[in-house]
């Protein structure tokens, strides 16, 4: 482990969703992170913005006679100055931009573009300016684009190819597996992570995670704390972002879910930004690759389980050291064939400290956890878990005493959905912080977030701090439009009844939210408490359908 330095680039902070700073003073927001790259953007500008640019230089051009051409030899065609240079980069989950440059001739060219998925475009152009083309793939993945420029004046054609990868990645569930535990040396040398130092989690190649994993779902837990602080998760090889993933205080054990791009070395870094050393635990439940698998489908939060009422489980607290099953597939909008489910799991009224473990049915309880709690605490955490072969998941109470459990389903993964994961342009970014950007979020009030069409859900880490009472945060679609906020005609959306995180006086609490927007791209953050609180929103990507 070694000390790291905080580095934030202006470009990284500028790219992302826009937040309107409140109901009364609503202002137009910036465009969202998934907006397609403008057609007149050149490769250098695209690369500077954080896009991965795929290139094939002009010296890779292969020159041949036009098929059937008379009075043209292969040797003569090979000596032709005609050449093709290619740059390409992903613009959306499935979208690809191609920037083709032609040199060596003056007359018009006939250009054929084979996108590598069986589709072809043919256009006429000249060498005076680059040819700009866009395409959308039906499936995420790796493709080879072939561009052939034909010069009728010399009966010569030049062909070049560039291998590309879509910006979007599909999800594959993974049986819960512990990748890191500094308490016993799992995945790293045994010992706490010192203050303002970091450790890294090896992701690629672990369990059944392939080497080409682009992102990972991790449940991060911090424990054995002696002071306050937070943990920043980031892809290795990238600047450390100005975001947070887990907030902790002295003596706390706190967990939070993270969806994080994986570095080029297959690792994720975990920085302990605090005044004392901590132990860190990381459990994986899924990963993303540029290979067709499962896309995300958002649902309106639906309560599947509430043991206080006997909904979805026997009425009464879940006994210590016991488990119960929940039918997921074929219930509440989750279809049969779904591979994994996205949950918000809440523990309330626990009689003793403990933890919950959520796992697929049909297997033994893994050495992993999803949610940690103390006596009498109400605490929530996001969970993404594979669905068992019988369509069920299992919840185990790892405490020695009973507790109530509440489970809300907010989405699922299925091969039938084309909503693929798209990472931030450069690094995860902080998009709103009422401590710096305005006044606290008022009690019983909301803040709207403005995005763009084509988003199935935003992946956000929400944090409340400077709390002066108890309450909970709800994140829900906002049916208002940007124009309605601009002209002052927006009306408060219906107050949601589901919760995403719970807090008590003086606590700083975070939880990951996979937030589906309304048709116009809007999401609302509701303070459901009776006192004002500060709200922080960090952007970790989105699921794109276009």
């Amino acid at each position: 482990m070694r000390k790291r330095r905080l580095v934030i680039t202006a470009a990284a902070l500028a790219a992302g969703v826009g937040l309107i700073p409140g109901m009364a003073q609503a202002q137009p927001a910036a465009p969202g992170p998934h907006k397609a790259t403008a057609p007149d953007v050149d490769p250098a500008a695209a690369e500077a913005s954080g896009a991965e640019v795929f290139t094939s230089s002009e010296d890779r051009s292969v020159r041949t006679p036009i098929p059937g051409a008379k009075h043209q030899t292969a040797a003569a065609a090979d000596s032709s100055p005609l050449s093709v240079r290619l740059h390409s980069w992903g613009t959306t989950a499935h979208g690809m931009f191609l920037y083709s440059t032609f040199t060596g001739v003056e007359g018009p060219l006939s250009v054929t573009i084979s996108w590598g998925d069986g589709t072809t475009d043919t256009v006429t152009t000249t060498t005076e300016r680059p040819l700009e083309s866009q395409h959308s793939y039906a499936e995420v993945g790796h493709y080879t684009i072939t561009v052939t420029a034909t010069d009728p004046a010399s009966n010569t054609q030049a062909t070049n190819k560039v291998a590309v990868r879509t910006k979007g990645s599909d999800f594959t569930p993974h049986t819960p597996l512990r990748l890191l535990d500094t308490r016993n040396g799992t995945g790293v040398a045994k010992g706490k992570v010192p203050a303002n130092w970091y450790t890294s989690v090896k992701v690629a190649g672990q369990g059944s995670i392939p080497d080409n994993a682009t992102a990972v779902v991790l449940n991060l837990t911090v424990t054995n704390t002696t002071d306050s602080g937070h943990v920043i998760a980031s892809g290795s090889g990238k600047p450390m972002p100005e975001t947070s993933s887990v907030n902790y205080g002295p003596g706390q054990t706190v967990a939070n879910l993270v969806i994080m791009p994986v570095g080029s070395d297959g690792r994720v870094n975990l920085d302990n930004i605090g005044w004392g050393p901590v132990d860190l635990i990381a459990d994986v439940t899924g990963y993303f690759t540029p290979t067709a698998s499962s896309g995300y489908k958002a649902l309106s939060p639906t309560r599947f389980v509430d043991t206080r009422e006997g909904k979805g489980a026997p009425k009464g607290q879940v006994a210590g050291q016991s488990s119960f099953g929940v039918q997921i597939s074929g219930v509440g909008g989750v279809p049969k064939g779904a591979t994994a489910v996205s949950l918000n799991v809440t523990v309330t009224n626990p009689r003793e400290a403990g933890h919950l473990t959520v796992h697929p049915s049909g297997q033994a309880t893994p050495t992993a956890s999803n949610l940690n709690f103390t006596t009498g605490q109400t605490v929530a955490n996001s969970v993404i878990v594979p669905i068992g072969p019988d369509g069920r998941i299992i919840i185990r109470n790892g405490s020695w005493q009973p507790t109530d459990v509440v489970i809300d389903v907010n989405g699922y993964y299925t091969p039938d959905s084309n909503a693929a994961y798209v990472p931030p342009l450069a690094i995860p970014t902080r998009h709103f912080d009422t401590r710096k950007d305005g006044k606290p979020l008022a009690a019983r009030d909301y803040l709207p977030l403005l995005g763009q069409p084509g988003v199935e859900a935003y992946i956000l880490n929400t944090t409340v701090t400077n709390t002066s009472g108890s309450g909970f945060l709800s994140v829900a679609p906002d049916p208002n439009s940007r124009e309605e906020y601009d002209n002052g005609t927006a009306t408060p959306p219906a107050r949601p009844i589901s919760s995403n995180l719970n807090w008590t006086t003086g606590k700083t609490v975070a939880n990951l939210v996979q937030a589906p927007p309304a048709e116009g791209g809007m999401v609302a953050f509701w303070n459901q408490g009776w006192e004002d609180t500060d709200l922080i929103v960090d952007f970790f990507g989105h699921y794109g359908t276009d």
Side-chain angles (χ1 to χ4, degrees), residues 74-91:
D78 187 54
S79 64
S80 168
L82 178 63
S83 65
V84 181
R85 181 178 178 84
L86 303 176
H87 296 85
S88 188
W89 58 92
T91 55

Side-chain angles (χ1 to χ4, degrees), residues 267-506:
R267 291 180 171 270
V268 170
N269 289 334
L270 303 175
D271 286 83
N272 173 25
I273 310 300
W275 297 103
V278 299
D279 277 312
L280 293 177
I281 303 164
D283 300 320
V284 64
T285 60
Y287 58 88
F288 297 85
T289 60
T291 304
S293 185
S294 292
Y296 185 68
K297 182 64 178 178
L299 291 175
S300 297
T302 302
R303 184 142 296 176
F304 272 47
V305 173
D306 190 337
T307 60
R308 299 169 300 180
E309 302 174 358
K311 183 177 182 62
K315 185 175 181 179
Q317 292 193 315
V318 181
Q321 298 294 306
S322 70
S323 302
F324 68 96
V326 181
Q327 183 67 36
I328 298 293
S329 296
V331 178
V334 181
K336 294 181 178 179
T339 59
V341 64
S342 175
L343 313 168
N344 197 69
V345 180
T346 304
V347 162
T348 190
N349 306 318
R351 298 186 189 179
E352 189 177 84
H355 67 273
L356 287 188
T357 298
V358 185
H359 64 90
S361 62
Q363 62 179 237
T365 303
T367 305
S369 62
N370 298 94
L371 178 62
N372 300 79
F373 51 87
T374 58
T375 304
Q377 183 183 24
T378 296
V379 60
N381 197 25
S382 290
V383 173
I384 295 174
V385 61
I387 299 172
D390 60 356
R392 294 163 62 84
I393 61 173
I394 305 297
I395 294 85
R396 176 170 174 79
N397 176 14
S399 172
W400 291 101
Q401 294 294 327
T403 185
D404 280 309
V405 177
V406 180
I407 298 177
D408 296 321
V409 172
N410 51 51
Y412 60 89
Y413 297 86
T414 173
D416 295 331
S417 173
N418 70 337
Y421 166 75
V422 179
L425 281 177
I427 58 175
T429 51
R430 176 147 293 176
H431 287 283
F432 200 73
D433 186 341
T434 60
R435 299 171 301 177
K436 300 178 181 179
D437 302 330
K439 57 187 179 182
L441 176 54
R444 314 298 288 176
D445 206 349
Y446 78 101
L447 288 173
L449 174 150
L450 175 62
Q452 295 285 339
V455 170
E456 183 69 21
Y458 298 105
I459 302 170
L460 309 170
N461 195 69
T462 56
T463 305
V464 294
T465 190
N466 298 324
T467 55
S468 55
S470 298
F472 64 95
L473 182 78
S474 298
V475 184
D478 181 353
N480 290 294
S481 67
R482 173 175 182 161
E483 291 73 21
E484 288 170 325
Y485 280 104
D486 289 346
N487 60 32
T489 61
T491 58
R495 185 181 300 276
I497 60 173
S498 61
S499 65
N500 292 96
L501 65 84
N502 303 74
W503 69 82
T504 54
T505 304

Side-chain angles (χ1 to χ4, degrees), residues 134-183:
Q134 297 189 67
H135 183 69
S136 182
Y137 291 101
E139 295 281 1
V140 301
H142 294 82
Y143 297 91
T144 298
I145 302 174
T146 303
V147 177
T148 300
T150 300
D151 175 28
S154 64
N155 285 333
T156 300
Q157 63 184 22
T159 299
N160 201 350
K161 299 181 179 182
V162 60
V164 301
R165 184 181 68 192
T166 57
K167 195 172 182 179
S169 297
D170 272 3
F171 178 76
T172 300
H174 194 288
T175 299
L177 174 67
R178 182 145 293 175
L179 299 183
L180 174 76
D181 191 338
T182 61
R183 300 172 301 177

Side-chain angles (χ1 to χ4, degrees), residues 191-202:
K192 286 186 173 182
V193 180
N196 295 309
W197 288 57
Y198 86 106
T199 188
S200 67
V201 183
K202 177 65 173 174

Side-chain angles (χ1 to χ4, degrees), residues 3-71:
K3 200 167 185 176
R4 300 186 71 222
R5 181 168 61 94
L6 178 64
V7 180
I8 300 293
T9 64
L13 290 174
V17 294
L19 281 169
I20 301 175
M23 294 169 55
Q25 64 272 26
Q27 299 293 329
H34 55 287
K35 185 174 182 179
T37 306
D40 58 353
V41 170
D42 62 32
E47 193 166 30
S49 74
E52 182 178 17
V53 178
F54 307 96
T55 302
S56 185
S57 60
E58 58 270 18
D59 58 10
R60 296 186 60 194
S61 300
V62 176
R63 303 169 189 85
T64 58
I66 297 176
K70 298 180 180 180
H71 312 299

